[in-house]
Amino acid sequence: MKTVANRIESIDVLRGLDLFLLLFLQPVFLAFAANFNTPWLKAVTFQLDHEVWVGFRCWDLVMPLFLFLVGASMPFAFNKYKSSPDKGKLYWKIIRRVIILFLLGMIVQGQLLGFSWQNILIYNNTLQAIAAGYLIASITMLCSKTPGWFVTAFALMVIYSIPMAIYGIYEPGNSFAFNVDKVVLGRFRGDLTYTWIWSSLTFGATVLFGAVSGQIIKTHHNSRRIKTVVLLGCIGAALIILGLAWGLVEPIIKRLWTSSMTMFSAGICMMLLALVYWWIDILGFSYGWNWLKIYGTNSITAYCIGEVINFRSVVNSLTYGLEHLIPEWYPFILTLGNASILFLILYVMHRFKIHLKI
C-alpha cells in the first residue's frame, strides 16, 4: 500500500480527476466545441452539463464525488485522534473546518466579497454542502462504529424522504425542500432550482457513504485487498439498484439531492473508488495518473482559486491581438489560458509540497 501521511493514493487521484474535470476539461472542452456543430460533440457536451431536472448526466456526478471523497478521507484523518483520551483537538478541528468551509462557500458563490449585505447569499455552494455533510458525518463517526454510519446514512435518507413524499410535489420552485429554504433562508438564496437546508440531510448521507468506503479500505488494505475491491463494488452496485428502485417513488433529482439520487450517485462513486483503488494501490499502476494529485492534494484551494479568480484578463493582456484575427476562437484561447494558469499555480504548489489544509 502506497501511503503518504495516511493518504491513500487512489483517493487523491480520484479527487484530482474530479477537480480536473471541473476546472480544466469541462470549460476548455465546451469552449472548443462551441466552434463546431457535429452530433458527437453535441452528445458529449450534453453529458458535460447538469440535467435540467429529473434524471442524471455524467456531469451530475462531479459534486457528489467531491462530497463522497471528503468522507472517504475522514477515517484516515480521524485515526490519529482515536487513541487520545482528549478529543478536544478533534472537536476543534471539526468546528474550525465547518466554519472555514462555510465562509469560503460564501466567498465563492455567496457574494461575500461584494461587501453588500443586500446581495449576500448565505447557503448556496458546494463547499457549504461539504461543511454540512462533514459535520453530520463527524458527529456520526464519533458516536458510533462503522455499521452505525451505514444505518445513519439510510436513516437520514428516510427522514429526508418522508415529508418530501407527504408534500408530493417535486417541481422547480415547489417542493418541501424548496419551501424549507424559502422559510429559513428567505431572500438570501441563489439559484432557486437548488435546495440546501433540507438537502443537508442527504449531503450527510453522501459523506457517510464515502466514510464507510474509506473505513473498508483502511481496515483491510494490509491483507484482504482484492476482497476490499469486491466488497466496495458489490455495495456500490447494490446502492445503484436501490437508488433506481427508490427513484420509482422519489425521482432522481440532483438539484434537490433526493434520496434516490444520493444512493444512485454514491453507488457510482463507490464503484469508481474500487476501480481506481484496485488499479493504483493494489496493482501499482500509478504512472500517468500521479499528475492528477496536483489537483487532488490541494482540492479546496484549486476549487476556490478556480471559482473566484478570473485569469482571463491576464491572458487577454498578452493575446488581445488575436481577437480580431481569429474572433471565433478567442473565447477558447481565453478559457484555455485561464485553466492553464490555474494548473501552473497548483503545479508549483505541488512541486514545493505546499498543501493548504483546512
Side-chain angles (χ1 to χ4, degrees):
M1 170 60 58
K2 300 178 181 179
T3 62
V4 178
N6 285 328
R7 301 187 79 98
I8 300 297
E9 282 197 78
S10 51
I11 293 178
D12 283 336
V13 168
L14 189 55
R15 187 190 295 113
L17 176 61
D18 197 39
L19 269 295
F20 171 71
L21 291 172
L22 178 66
L23 301 173
F24 196 107
L25 183 63
Q26 190 248 22
V28 171
F29 185 85
L30 291 183
F32 173 82
N35 294 290
F36 299 94
N37 187 24
T38 57
W40 74 269
L41 277 176
K42 286 184 177 180
V44 174
T45 55
F46 178 81
Q47 290 298 327
L48 289 178
D49 195 7
H50 291 299
E51 181 58 68
V52 176
W53 197 243
V54 178
F56 199 87
R57 303 186 197 177
C58 292
W59 197 244
D60 290 317
L61 190 65
V62 170
M63 182 175 170
L65 183 58
F66 204 173
L67 271 72
F68 178 89
L69 292 173
V70 168
S73 300
M74 289 176 70
F76 301 94
F78 281 23
N79 188 55
K80 61 182 177 181
Y81 301 99
K82 185 177 181 180
S83 58
S84 174
D86 181 15
K87 296 294 192 296
K89 290 184 178 180
L90 178 57
Y91 298 149
W92 168 241
K93 175 184 177 180
I94 293 169
I95 294 170
R96 180 176 62 87
R97 194 175 199 207
V98 168
I99 293 173
I100 292 175
L101 283 170
F102 212 87
L103 289 175
L104 287 175
M106 293 182 72
I107 290 173
V108 170
Q109 213 166 347
Q111 302 182 44
L112 185 61
L113 296 183
F115 302 111
S116 173
W117 176 251
Q118 290 76 17
N119 296 319
I120 283 179
L121 306 175
I122 295 177
Y123 190 178
N124 191 54
N125 180 259
T126 298
L127 296 180
Q128 295 166 319
I130 291 175
Y134 176 79
L135 178 60
I136 292 171
S138 296
I139 295 171
T140 303
M141 291 172 67
L142 290 172
C143 296
S144 63
K145 297 186 181 298
T146 309
W149 309 352
F150 214 81
V151 171
T152 302
F154 277 94
L156 289 169
M157 291 187 295
V158 170
I159 294 170
Y160 171 95
S161 295
I162 290 175
M164 292 287 285
I166 292 173
Y167 191 81
I169 301 175
Y170 300 88
E171 296 176 356
N174 190 12
S175 66
F176 178 80
F178 173 85
N179 288 325
V180 171
D181 275 7
K182 184 177 180 180
V183 171
V184 178
L185 297 176
R187 66 177 181 83
F188 299 103
R189 296 175 292 164
D191 187 341
L192 299 183
T193 63
Y194 285 86
T195 58
W196 302 94
I197 300 294
W198 194 246
S199 298
S200 294
L201 296 172
T202 39
F203 295 156
T206 297
V207 177
L208 279 170
F209 282 129
V212 170
S213 302
Q215 184 64 23
I216 290 173
I217 292 174
K218 177 177 173 293
T219 301
H220 302 296
H221 75 262
N222 286 326
S223 55
R224 297 178 292 175
R225 297 186 186 180
I226 295 300
K227 289 185 178 179
T228 296
V229 173
V230 173
L231 181 59
L232 288 174
C234 289
I235 296 174
L239 286 174
I240 292 173
I241 294 171
L242 284 172
L244 292 172
W246 201 310
L248 298 175
V249 178
E250 178 185 86
I252 294 176
I253 305 174
K254 185 261 180 183
R255 295 172 188 264
L256 297 181
W257 216 274
T258 56
S259 295
S260 55
M261 195 287 303
T262 301
M263 281 187 287
F264 181 74
S265 61
I268 298 174
C269 291
M270 202 172 286
M271 295 187 77
L272 277 175
L273 179 58
L275 177 62
V276 177
Y277 174 71
W278 169 72
W279 186 257
I280 292 178
D281 286 297
I282 295 179
L283 297 182
F285 295 153
S286 59
Y287 182 78
W289 296 98
N290 280 330
W291 67 272
L292 287 169
K293 294 179 184 177
I294 293 171
Y295 290 95
T297 55
N298 263 319
S299 57
I300 300 297
T301 303
Y303 179 81
C304 290
I305 295 176
E307 294 294 322
V308 174
I309 303 177
N310 189 347
F311 296 109
R312 287 173 177 81
S313 58
V314 177
V315 182
N316 181 62
S317 298
L318 299 173
T319 63
Y320 65 91
L322 296 175
E323 185 172 9
H324 74 278
L325 296 176
I326 45 174
E328 67 278 6
W329 283 100
Y330 198 61
F332 168 73
I333 292 172
L334 294 178
T335 303
L336 178 61
N338 179 71
S340 299
I341 291 174
L342 173 59
F343 177 82
L344 180 62
I345 292 171
L346 296 172
Y347 172 78
V348 172
M349 293 179 68
H350 186 73
R351 178 69 177 80
F352 289 96
K353 295 180 170 58
I354 302 173
H355 299 143
L356 302 181
K357 297 181 179 180
I358 297 175

